[in-house]
Amino acid sequence: MKLSAVRRSTTTTVLAASLVGALALSGCAKSEDDGSDKSSSAGDKDSGQIVATPGADDKTCDIAQFGGEKIDLKTATVGFSQSEKEANPFRIAETASIKAEAEERGIKLLTANAQTQFSKQISDVQDLIAKGADLLVIAPLNSDGWGPVLRSAAAKKIPIVTIDRKINATACKDYVSFIGSDFIEQGKRAADQMIEATGGKGEVAILLGAAGNNVTTERTKGFKDQIAAKAPDLKVVFEQTGEFAREKGQQVTEQLIQSNPGIKGIYAENDEMGLGAVNALKGAGKKAGAIKIVTVDGTRNAVQGIVDGWISGVVESNPRFGPLAFQTLDTFTKGEKVAQDIVIQDGAYTPENAKADLGKAF
């Protein structure tokens, strides 16, 4: 179902224009939503992604390099493997975007959901291959452990595009392209928001994402590097995984404010953990804004949290991969070059724009 809430800075016209020209050159996980936001903008192409300006040294891939054959995307079967339960805003939006784009293009789509179980995701993709998928779009749960899938896909020369998270394999050999954000840059931008919110002084905590994927590693690195470079008086004194889940984020924050009562800020590596932190602070009788919270994603509830004063800032991570994923497959299957790393632009929500831009959130 398509939404009326659109991201006006990323119109379909701009998307189409940038993809046709830029793709030849150019190149996160949450828990249960509380049900208060009814966003379905996942399938809205006007809310879609824009490719960041490519660098001159960006590596590309085409069918000749990959070793496959040209395919007519219109008559192909595409398999989509979702990693996590679709009881959370990011994954709901991501899956809906893929389904909407396939429907609009009239492409047969096979789908599977691993329900946050990596062994199931491996068997899911094997099953998609067995059912006749000619191309694969995978939202990986983990970055490692993809050997069995890659071998099966290679035996049939099935092109793979990964979205949101990378797999530790060789581009243009094991898979064609990765589409996603610059996660190190997201961490740096979250640090900038934390520095502004705290004045660059005090003790802060990190609610880490799930282990075993590049998103957690890179969002952490970006945040720490930026803090060290720009605000040495802001000290990271606590780090613990919240597993990208709201309930876990709440539990960890409850422990945090007991063990570190002087904590000044919390960097949650996704919105759901940040919303869990808000619940913990409310339960402890804290006032809105007493502890600064910065998160990554851009869900409707998190942006509302800025409006309500509980969250200081949100770095966007756009889950609407459908248009860009299928345009990448279309370009590649025609024999044209696509980038091995397709980096998307991300916006940000702040106290200055949150109320006006709430409709852009998912």
Side-chain angles (χ1 to χ4, degrees), residues 263-283:
I263 204 76
K264 194 170 182 180
I266 298 172
Y267 166 44
E269 293 185 339
N270 80 337
D271 285 354
E272 286 296 285
M273 292 189 296
L275 291 167
V278 169
N279 289 341
L281 297 181
K282 288 180 178 179

Side-chain angles (χ1 to χ4, degrees), residues 41-359:
S41 59
D44 192 333
K45 292 177 68 173
D46 287 339
S47 300
Q49 299 158 333
I50 293 292
V51 179
T53 303
D57 297 329
D58 284 356
K59 296 180 180 179
T60 60
C61 183
D62 60 30
I63 286 178
Q65 292 173 274
F66 184 73
E69 298 180 355
K70 291 183 180 180
I71 306 170
D72 184 351
L73 184 60
K74 293 180 180 179
T75 60
T77 298
V78 177
F80 172 58
S81 171
Q82 177 58 274
S83 58
E84 299 181 9
K85 298 175 182 178
E86 290 169 18
N88 66 77
F90 189 97
R91 297 302 172 187
I92 291 171
E94 186 175 65
T95 297
S97 180
I98 294 290
K99 288 181 176 180
E101 186 67 16
E103 182 177 2
E104 182 163 319
R105 288 173 175 264
I107 295 171
K108 182 179 179 181
L109 182 71
L110 304 176
T111 63
N113 189 302
Q115 301 295 315
T116 321
Q117 301 172 48
F118 186 61
S119 60
K120 184 177 185 306
Q121 186 167 36
I122 295 300
S123 63
D124 281 349
V125 180
Q126 298 277 32
D127 188 50
L128 291 172
I129 293 172
K131 288 179 177 178
D134 302 300
L135 305 135
L136 291 168
V137 177
I138 299 175
L141 182 63
N142 294 339
S143 295
D144 291 319
W146 286 92
V149 163
L150 298 179
R151 287 190 291 272
S152 296
K156 295 187 176 183
K157 300 296 182 183
I158 298 174
I160 297 172
V161 168
T162 72
I163 59 174
D164 182 54
R165 297 176 183 174
K166 285 188 174 182
I167 59 174
N168 291 327
T170 303
C172 209
K173 176 187 174 184
D174 300 314
Y175 67 97
V176 173
S177 298
F178 159 73
I179 306 172
S181 298
D182 182 334
F183 303 115
I184 290 179
E185 183 63 21
Q186 286 180 339
K188 289 181 178 180
R189 294 173 66 200
D192 288 338
Q193 290 189 335
M194 183 64 75
I195 292 168
E196 181 175 354
T198 59
K201 296 181 180 180
E203 296 182 342
V204 296
I206 301 177
L207 300 186
L208 302 166
N213 66 80
N214 68 303
V215 178
T216 296
T217 302
E218 293 176 13
R219 284 180 181 168
T220 304
K221 175 176 171 52
F223 185 83
K224 287 184 172 181
D225 286 353
Q226 193 78 337
I227 292 294
K230 297 182 68 174
D233 291 331
L234 199 61
K235 305 294 184 183
V236 177
V237 297
F238 179 97
E239 298 177 51
Q240 188 169 324
T241 181
E243 299 174 0
F244 285 135
R246 187 180 301 194
E247 183 178 353
K248 184 67 173 179
Q250 179 172 341
Q251 293 171 354
V252 172
T253 303
E254 289 169 349
Q255 298 168 9
L256 166 67
I257 57 181
Q258 290 292 324
S259 62
N260 298 74
I263 204 76
K264 194 170 182 180
I266 298 172
Y267 166 44
E269 293 185 339
N270 80 337
D271 285 354
E272 286 296 285
M273 292 189 296
L275 291 167
V278 169
N279 289 341
L281 297 181
K282 288 180 178 179
K286 301 288 186 180
K287 293 182 179 180
I291 295 176
K292 309 303 180 183
I293 299 175
V294 174
T295 72
V296 182
D297 273 338
T299 64
R300 190 73 55 86
N301 285 337
V303 179
Q304 183 64 51
I306 299 177
V307 176
D308 296 339
W310 286 97
I311 295 176
S312 297
V314 175
V315 176
E316 181 192 41
S317 196
N318 194 333
R320 304 172 180 100
F321 287 93
L324 188 49
F326 279 92
Q327 182 61 57
T328 301
L329 292 175
D330 193 28
T331 301
F332 180 79
T333 54
K334 289 177 179 176
E336 301 171 20
K337 292 181 181 296
V338 298
Q340 294 179 15
D341 286 293
I342 302 174
V343 180
I344 61 175
Q345 295 177 2
D346 291 313
Y349 298 94
T350 67
E352 290 71 36
N353 69 9
K355 187 173 183 178
D357 289 352
L358 184 60

